Amino acid sequence: MTAATHSTLFPQVPDVPDSADAVLEGLDPEQREVATALRGPVCVLAGAGTGKTRAITHRIAYGVRSGILQPASVLAVTFTNRAAGEMRGRLRQLGAQGVQARTFHSAALRQLQYFWPKAVGGSLPRLVDRKIQLVADAAAALGTRLDRGELRDVTGEIEWCKVTQTVPADYPYAAAKAGREAPRDPAEIAHLYAAYEDLKRDRAVIDFEDVLLLTVAVLQDRQDIAEQVRAQYQHFVVDEYQDVSPLQQRLLDLWLGDRDDLCVVGDASQTIYSFTGATPDHLLDFRARHPGATVVKLVRDYRSTPQVVRLANGLLAQARGRAADHRLELVSQRPSGPEPGYTEYTDEPAEAEGAARRIRELIDAGVPAAEIAVLFRTNSQSETYEQALADAGVPYQLRGAERFFDRPEVRKAGLALRGAARFGGNDSLLDDAVDLPSQVRAVLSGEGWTTQPPAGSGAVRERWESLAALVNLAQDLSAARPGATLADFVAELDERAGAQHAPTVQGVTLASLHAAKGLEWDAVFLVGVAEGMLPISYARTDEQIEEERRLLYVGVTRARERLHVSWSLSRSPGGRHSRRASRFLDGLRPGTTATVGRGAGSAGGVERGVRGADTTAVPRRAQRSPARCRVCGRTLTDAGEMKLMRCEDCPSDMDEGLYERLREWRAVQAANSGQPDFCVFTDRTLMAIAETRPDSSAELSRIPGVLSRKLRSYGAEVLAICAGQELDGEIAGD
């Protein structure tokens, strides 16, 4: 069984499995079904903490190691650089190097850069990192004044339009249909959107969403390019499929063409990014689009205790809507732990102080600060908790505010470290530094790092935490790789920056619920769980309310062992007690009445599609399943053994007389066609036929080496020989 493990900066790298079967070791039954279901289409419904990344990386590795998948023909796509980097790392550890694991945007940009000169001519326009300044310039050109908040919101609306393939003129209708709260008059936003697009053309630049749009356009307009891409990539894996936008789905469809070698992984109950255009419809409709699909449900939760899982299941039991109809009932695989705690406070500062006090107690009891998180609905809630933690002497880090490697102090520190790596021999700072950690501390001391953190919170504290994270990373690298040099450390930083794999800051994590997706901690404090905040006040429709419920579900399932939920009755001290605990907690916390539930969710297991269930479906092309020895069951990777369908050293039950008759027949066929014997059937194929003695075309077709063309040409004669019939002279070629 797979188990929940704490991630470390430099985990002990396991030995590469020595065979395809060894790749499957340690998987639970459902994960094993995922790993061995190499015939697409496959849909994996994976609940929180059920090991979905483990299942799909082992699936790819098993396919590669068993010879079914060619590494260069596999494209695995996900939504963050870090997730893609983690996937590549796991595949390397499993002996499946060469597989492409990228984000949608990274894969599309790579193709666009390669094919642009051929499809359009010249070089690809410059890609802008941030579109907000362009939006500001477009607004200025129209004489529209936008404050900072409006500028951010309008930019978000433009991004939503592009991923949902909405043109400027259609925005007012599309926004109303989707129930979006437009930050300005919809007609005004449509004009701003059009002006933004005009400005991009004038400046010959493209934005992040254009990468997908232009790749779609090239693949649609140029059949020759589309075929070239499809010849390269023949097997696709899509992680976090519930977050796919209509534009990403359109790109995926173009990559696939008329094929269905596709494995998707997702959980409709973790759909929390609909504001960006993400929709679970593609996941929920997968079986309808692919009637022959295999569906595997992962429900064994290896992350959280039974107490945390019970609360998570209870939250979804009260949900409504289409995603709720497909919810998964998690089953904890961990030992029992403490019950979730619930606390009501008079005001927000008191709530923050209470959380900080409990966190201080956990740290004093031995829980690492990096294994504790405070999660809230909006980033504006962060400041109160920053101050409370600082007052309690608890180190912390903010997640989601700015990417670690984009921080000015980190970029500046990187330059200093790179310079020291090149010319450190002439740097007096390094005279007394005898190992990597002391060298890094010496260099960063010149950038403002000190052995003791500064008092209080704010920008000075954040800069110190960033530099401290680099110091800790150097210590971990030195422990994992004794003798590592400053140049090795710089290379590690470059690799992490490329994958956006930030080092762990030794402090409590402060993050919004959206930013916490995909992460986990030993102890989680869910704060501000009150009406008006969760669900947020502007969530009015049933769909919006249900997404807020799913957001709380994501927060709950981040906790491994300890979970504390709190809310306050007023915003500030002395304020009117007008708030109450979130409706989502009704029936779950002590002393409240449950809303009528929906019964149990789906259990784990496998649903196999019916071949030919949809006569209008695109014909499936022939695919191979992993070859297994019919004697001992081991996965076969040697071509000769695969033809025999057994290991070379496993006992044979071949009918010697049948084998000789088949050889005589083959000689006649070869002589009649003027080709070598092996062009009819190889010796090993004849041996396999003589061992299995097929009595139907279906059985004969399952023998490796008996391709459809040869089945049509020789099948009847081979089956007749196997049945002991005498062939007449005309058929035998005499």
Side-chain angles (χ1 to χ4, degrees):
M1 301 295 177
T2 186
T5 56
H6 294 214
S7 60
T8 58
L9 287 172
F10 297 97
Q12 186 69 35
V13 178
D15 293 334
V16 173
D18 58 8
S19 66
D21 286 338
V23 171
L24 302 178
E25 293 176 2
L27 300 181
D28 69 30
E30 291 78 29
Q31 292 171 343
R32 193 181 182 95
E33 287 285 351
V34 174
T36 55
L38 297 177
R39 294 170 59 93
V42 176
C43 179
V44 183
L45 301 177
T50 57
K52 68 178 179 64
T53 304
R54 178 182 176 84
I56 59 175
T57 52
H58 281 67
R59 178 182 188 270
I60 295 170
Y62 179 63
V64 170
R65 298 291 299 275
S66 63
I68 305 304
L69 304 179
Q70 296 302 311
S73 72
V74 180
L75 178 59
V77 288
T78 185
F79 283 82
T80 66
N81 286 322
R82 177 161 190 176
E86 179 185 357
M87 193 177 292
R88 288 193 296 271
R90 291 198 188 196
L91 289 170
R92 281 195 300 271
Q93 292 172 7
L94 293 170
Q97 297 91 335
V99 173
Q100 292 291 316
R102 297 178 175 274
T103 65
F104 268 102
H105 285 85
S106 172
L109 180 60
R110 193 165 182 244
Q111 293 174 17
L112 197 60
Q113 289 171 330
Y114 183 81
F115 289 112
W116 186 267
K118 179 179 179 180
V120 181
S123 57
L124 185 69
R126 181 174 63 87
L127 177 64
V128 293
D129 293 332
R130 292 166 56 85
K131 61 173 65 67
I132 198 162
Q133 185 56 54
L134 278 173
V135 175
D137 293 346
L142 293 176
T144 302
R145 296 179 61 87
L146 299 176
D147 61 31
R148 188 171 182 177
E150 289 177 320
L151 189 59
R152 184 184 62 249
D153 292 342
V154 169
T155 300
E157 289 303 290
I158 290 175
E159 291 174 348
W160 176 81
C161 286
K162 301 186 80 164
V163 299
T164 56
Q165 303 175 81
T166 301
V167 298
D170 292 343
Y171 172 76
Y173 169 77
K177 183 179 179 181
R180 295 184 72 82
E181 289 281 340
R184 300 283 289 243
D185 180 82
E188 188 176 12
I189 291 179
H191 287 306
L192 281 166
Y193 179 16
Y196 168 78
E197 291 296 308
D198 290 339
L199 189 60
K200 281 200 294 99
R201 279 191 291 272
D202 292 342
R203 296 184 182 180
V205 297
I206 60 175
D207 62 25
F208 205 49
E209 290 72 36
D210 288 332
V211 171
L212 300 184
L213 286 164
L214 290 171
T215 306
V216 164
V218 168
L219 296 178
Q220 284 181 160
D221 296 344
R222 292 290 299 267
Q223 185 66 23
D224 58 330
I225 293 176
E227 290 302 326
Q228 191 172 341
V229 172
R230 291 167 193 159
Q232 170 69 51
Y233 297 116
Q234 298 162 17
H235 191 93
F236 296 84
V237 177
V238 184
D239 193 12
E240 302 288 3
Y241 194 57
Q242 78 279 352
D243 291 333
V244 166
S245 71
L247 178 57
Q248 289 165 329
Q249 181 62 47
R250 179 62 186 138
L251 177 59
L252 180 61
D253 289 340
L254 287 165
W255 281 340
L256 278 166
D258 61 358
R259 304 164 301 172
D260 60 4
D261 280 335
L262 173 65
C263 174
V264 301
V265 189
D267 179 11
S269 296
Q270 296 188 68
T271 305
I272 59 174
Y273 297 110
S274 66
F275 62 92
T276 68
T279 171
D281 289 346
H282 305 299
L283 176 67
L284 299 177
D285 293 338
F286 192 83
R287 195 65 177 274
R289 294 183 66 189
H290 303 280
T294 296
V295 178
V296 184
K297 298 177 181 179
L298 305 182
V299 299
R300 301 174 197 252
D301 188 325
Y302 298 97
R303 176 187 299 157
S304 304
T305 63
Q307 288 77 10
V308 173
V309 167
R310 189 181 305 121
L311 176 56
N313 287 335
L315 272 173
L316 293 188
Q318 301 177 19
R320 295 180 172 83
R322 193 168 179 224
D325 292 337
H326 295 79
R327 70 186 180 87
L328 300 169
E329 187 85 6
L330 299 177
V331 181
S332 176
Q333 307 297 298
R334 297 199 62 189
S336 183
E339 289 290 340
Y342 302 89
T343 306
E344 181 176 273
Y345 293 92
T346 56
D347 52 62
E348 285 185 12
E351 184 179 3
E353 290 168 10
R357 184 170 57 253
R358 290 174 180 269
I359 290 170
R360 180 76 265 173
E361 292 170 356
L362 286 176
I363 293 173
D364 291 343
V367 179
E371 291 295 348
I372 303 172
V374 178
L375 307 182
F376 34 74
R377 176 60 180 85
T378 67
N379 286 320
S380 62
Q381 295 169 268
S382 172
E383 186 176 356
T384 303
Y385 290 89
E386 291 177 54
Q387 189 60 57
L389 290 173
D391 291 345
V394 174
Y396 65 87
Q397 62 166 325
L398 290 172
R399 182 173 181 86
E402 184 178 27
R403 297 199 300 186
F404 181 84
F405 291 101
D406 290 340
R407 297 175 185 174
E409 66 272 16
V410 174
R411 290 202 301 268
K412 190 177 178 186
L415 290 174
L417 289 165
R418 187 168 283 103
R422 285 183 182 174
F423 312 112
N426 299 320
D427 192 337
S428 59
L429 274 174
L430 302 181
D431 286 347
D432 298 325
V434 295
D435 56 13
L436 176 61
S438 60
Q439 289 174 340
V440 171
R441 287 193 294 267
V443 173
L444 296 186
S445 65
E447 302 299 321
W449 179 80
T450 57
T451 55
Q452 295 298 320
S457 60
V460 174
R461 178 61 177 258
E462 288 180 33
R463 284 195 296 272
W464 184 89
E465 294 285 4
S466 296
L467 298 179
L470 296 177
V471 170
N472 292 329
L473 182 63
Q475 292 170 343
D476 287 321
L477 177 59
S478 181
R481 291 161 52 189
T485 66
L486 202 52
D488 294 331
F489 183 67
V490 170
E492 175 69 23
L493 290 180
D494 289 341
E495 184 175 344
R496 285 173 173 267
Q500 284 303 317
H501 183 188
T504 301
V505 174
Q506 294 305 310
V508 172
T509 299
L510 295 176
S512 71
L513 289 165
H514 284 102
K517 177 76 167 62
L519 303 174
E520 59 187 80
W521 296 269
D522 282 347
V524 169
F525 289 75
L526 294 174
V527 300
V529 187
E531 286 292 305
M533 191 58 73
L534 199 65
I536 200 75
S537 58
Y538 52 75
R540 299 188 179 92
T541 67
D542 289 344
E543 292 83 0
Q544 291 168 339
I545 294 294
E546 288 308 316
E547 181 149 339
E548 293 289 300
R549 187 193 306 273
R550 293 194 295 270
L551 196 55
L552 181 57
Y553 171 80
V554 167
V556 168
T557 55
R558 299 311 94 193
R560 296 190 190 107
E561 299 174 6
R562 296 177 176 85
L563 178 66
H564 197 88
V565 184
S566 64
W567 60 94
S568 57
L569 299 176
S570 66
R571 180 172 184 177
S572 53
R576 188 166 61 91
H577 291 182
S578 57
R579 294 178 175 178
R580 69 176 184 88
S582 170
R583 72 191 77 172
F584 298 147
L585 299 178
D586 291 348
L588 301 176
R589 62 188 177 94
T592 58
T593 304
T595 305
V596 177
R598 303 175 60 89
S602 296
V606 184
E607 298 172 11
R608 304 194 188 282
V610 179
R611 299 296 180 195
D614 181 5
T615 57
T616 64
V618 176
R620 294 176 54 84
R621 65 185 181 87
Q623 300 178 49
R624 296 181 296 155
S625 295
R628 294 182 179 278
C629 175
R630 53 192 170 79
V631 180
C632 71
R634 182 178 69 85
T635 300
L636 304 175
T637 56
D638 177 76
E641 292 182 339
M642 290 169 69
K643 287 214 171 180
L644 288 174
M645 295 190 296
R646 63 172 172 81
C647 303
E648 192 74 49
D649 53 358
C650 278
S652 170
D653 56 354
M654 184 177 71
D655 184 327
E656 296 285 353
L658 175 56
Y659 177 64
E660 289 303 321
R661 290 196 299 276
L662 288 168
R663 282 174 57 85
E664 292 171 3
W665 165 84
R666 181 185 65 177
V668 173
Q669 296 297 326
N672 288 342
S673 61
Q675 58 185 353
D677 288 0
F678 68 81
C679 290
V680 179
F681 285 121
T682 66
D683 285 346
R684 286 186 180 272
T685 299
L686 293 185
M687 290 173 66
I689 294 172
E691 289 182 350
T692 57
R693 296 181 287 280
D695 59 10
S696 68
S697 294
E699 282 190 33
L700 181 59
S701 68
R702 285 195 285 269
I703 297 175
V706 183
L707 304 178
S708 57
R709 177 179 58 80
K710 293 188 178 184
L711 186 65
R712 289 192 300 270
S713 300
Y714 307 124
E717 300 174 31
V718 170
L719 289 172
I721 295 171
C722 290
Q725 300 174 12
E726 291 293 333
L727 301 180
D728 61 38
E730 182 180 355
I731 294 178
D734 292 339

